[in-house]
Amino acid sequence: MPNHSRLEPLGQVDLAFSDWRPLRHVEDPLHKDLSAVARVGDSLFLACDETASIERLRRIGDGRFGEHRHFALDGLVDLPAGPEGEMDIEGLCAVDGFLWIVGSHALKRSKPKRAESDADDALRRMEQVDREPNRHFLGRIPLIEEAPGLWMPTRSDGRRQATWARFGKRSSALTDWVAGDPHLGPFLTIPAKENGFDVEGLAVRGDRIWLGLRGPVLRGHAVVLDLEITEKTPGQLKARRTAGERRYRKHLLDTRGLGIRDMCFDGDDLLLLVGPTMSLEGPAFVLRWRDAVHDDVSGVIAPDRIETVVELPYRLHADHPEGIDHWPEAGPGALLVIYDAPAPERTDPDAFTVRADLIGPRRPKAGSRAKRVAALAS
């Protein structure tokens, strides 16, 4: 994995949320539990993995985003566990007038809560593994422009309808498609954060969607599923058969044991946010999978096609990178990075504000040849 790191910190963006204490089932404030991000125009869509909703912030000047609006997804899609069932949204992608959304599709083991129970009770709690139906969502919602640059999700807009892959209380299309896979099938019964099947990255181009897995990681290789989606039945998405009997291509990338936390396209390359899998703490990186869009067969990607773009700052028990998206105002190649468990100095609890990072190409040093050439050119 060649190290071609070319990005550096450029600053921060304030993200101001409203007081959403009425969401009593959410353990942490929204701004402390962000799991996905997508930008379109002046609208920034974010998700918290404990809710069944999408949050929208609007550019309000001085590089800040606020005017928080909360969109409950049970009014836009049919959720088998209703509005209170968490969707564990881990991927967002705004493209071609739609907001794509993917849940983790992961099982969940109960926490021991040792501080609240004795050793035997804590052990019994950890026997319980739940399948939460709302987590198995994969679909798209139309976006309509309320005002210039301000986009709103809607269930329908003329012929454009909210559509999703089949999912229900006992099964879902995606897990059914991979159930017989020799690499992935055995991990479907293993909970998330234990190297079980766990979707966290999402990228879309045309009728192809790429799903990046936090787990399983196989011999140090992360997995990306590549599907061609069609709407054969109104309101329902289905993947075409692209690899013999399979409805997906499977790409393995040597990430040195790290799982995928988010993805976004940069031209024909795919940028991968990778970090510790399971419940581990450790460094995170943005990698570049060169010419990913032209990989149309399953296989292991040649290591020399995976480059390190940047290593992100690492802190124990804080600032876990969860999402990336392009930020053109900061220059070509600039990225916004959002974090779960933000460090205290990154937040303003009274204003429900958290600061996301901007990273971008290294600027030429004063007096450098590049700067002198630019001055002459002007």
Side-chain angles (χ1 to χ4, degrees):
M1 192 160 54
N3 189 343
H4 293 165
S5 180
R6 293 185 289 270
L7 303 188
E8 65 179 5
L10 298 179
Q12 294 184 318
V13 177
D14 283 358
L15 309 179
F17 293 82
S18 301
D19 182 349
W20 283 100
R21 292 177 193 171
L23 292 172
R24 301 184 188 279
H25 62 290
V26 178
E27 293 183 6
D28 295 317
L30 293 175
H31 65 281
K32 291 188 177 182
D33 198 19
L34 301 178
S35 59
V37 62
R39 168 83 183 276
V40 53
D42 292 333
S43 303
L44 190 67
F45 292 100
L46 300 116
C48 164
D49 59 13
E50 293 186 33
T51 69
S53 64
I54 294 295
E55 318 305 321
R56 186 191 70 189
L57 301 182
R58 182 181 190 178
R59 187 209 303 267
I60 56 177
D62 299 327
R64 298 179 298 126
F65 279 71
E67 296 186 11
H68 174 203
R69 184 167 175 187
H70 173 86
F71 293 94
L73 286 176
D74 67 304
L76 302 175
V77 302
D78 300 333
L79 298 177
E84 297 298 315
E86 74 172 44
M87 293 180 71
D88 197 17
I89 294 172
E90 296 289 354
L92 296 174
C93 183
V95 62
D96 297 334
F98 287 94
L99 181 66
W100 285 83
I101 302 171
V102 67
S104 68
H105 287 68
L107 301 181
K108 180 180 179 181
R109 188 182 299 279
S110 294
K111 295 180 180 179
K113 295 188 176 181
R114 186 64 182 87
E116 304 173 15
S117 57
D118 60 29
D120 287 342
D121 286 341
L123 189 62
R124 281 193 291 272
R125 280 184 56 83
M126 292 191 71
E127 294 176 0
Q128 183 176 346
V129 176
D130 296 323
R131 181 191 181 279
E132 299 186 348
N134 287 358
R135 288 178 164 221
H136 290 70
F137 183 84
L138 169 61
R140 66 190 182 198
I141 297 173
L143 293 173
I144 58 174
E145 198 168 13
E146 289 186 277
L150 184 64
W151 296 84
M152 179 181 73
T154 182
R155 182 153 188 150
S156 64
D157 177 37
R159 293 185 177 181
R160 300 188 310 138
Q161 306 288 322
T163 57
W164 53 88
R166 174 185 52 79
F167 73 132
K169 292 187 176 181
R170 293 182 175 82
S171 66
S172 67
L174 180 61
T175 51
D176 286 349
W177 295 336
V178 303
D181 189 280
H183 296 106
L184 303 178
F187 292 90
L188 290 175
T189 58
I190 300 173
K193 300 183 181 177
E194 298 175 20
N195 207 35
F197 187 84
D198 188 1
V199 180
E200 290 218 2
L202 171 66
V204 181
R205 177 171 292 188
D207 63 354
R208 288 176 70 183
I209 65 172
W210 287 258
L211 302 175
L213 306 188
R214 178 176 179 174
V217 173
L218 307 171
R219 291 289 299 211
H221 289 68
V223 181
V224 176
L225 299 179
D226 169 8
L227 300 84
E228 294 184 10
I229 292 292
T230 183
E231 186 181 355
K232 287 189 175 179
T233 303
Q236 187 172 109
L237 299 177
K238 194 170 186 178
R240 301 186 186 97
R241 298 185 187 275
T242 59
E245 292 300 308
R246 304 212 180 278
R247 297 185 184 272
Y248 55 89
R249 305 177 188 95
K250 179 175 52 183
H251 309 290
L252 272 60
L253 300 91
D254 185 357
T255 55
R256 298 181 182 173
L258 301 178
I260 295 172
R261 311 303 287 270
D262 200 11
M263 306 189 301
C264 67
F265 272 105
D266 184 16
D268 288 344
D269 299 345
L270 193 58
L271 299 180
L272 312 169
L273 173 61
V274 299
T277 187
M278 300 193 290
S279 295
L280 298 172
E281 300 261 352
F285 300 82
V286 176
L287 307 180
R288 180 181 297 275
W289 172 8
R290 290 192 292 105
D291 208 29
V293 76
H294 293 121
D295 281 310
D296 57 3
V297 294
S298 297
V300 177
I301 303 303
D304 62 1
R305 292 180 54 209
I306 306 169
E307 302 171 355
T308 300
V309 176
V310 67
E311 179 177 0
L312 298 172
Y314 164 62
R315 292 187 59 172
L316 190 63
H317 307 315
D319 282 354
H320 303 149
E322 281 285 330
I324 57 174
D325 206 349
H326 293 284
W327 209 258
E329 295 93 326
L335 297 173
L336 181 82
V337 184
I338 63 162
Y339 298 86
D340 182 21
E345 60 268 26
R346 190 182 287 281
T347 67
D348 181 349
D350 294 333
F352 298 94
T353 296
V354 63
R355 284 177 284 279
D357 284 343
L358 289 176
I359 58 174
R362 291 175 177 169
R363 295 163 176 165
K365 295 181 180 179
S368 68
R369 181 177 183 276
K371 188 169 184 178
R372 292 194 300 271
V373 170
L376 288 172
S378 62

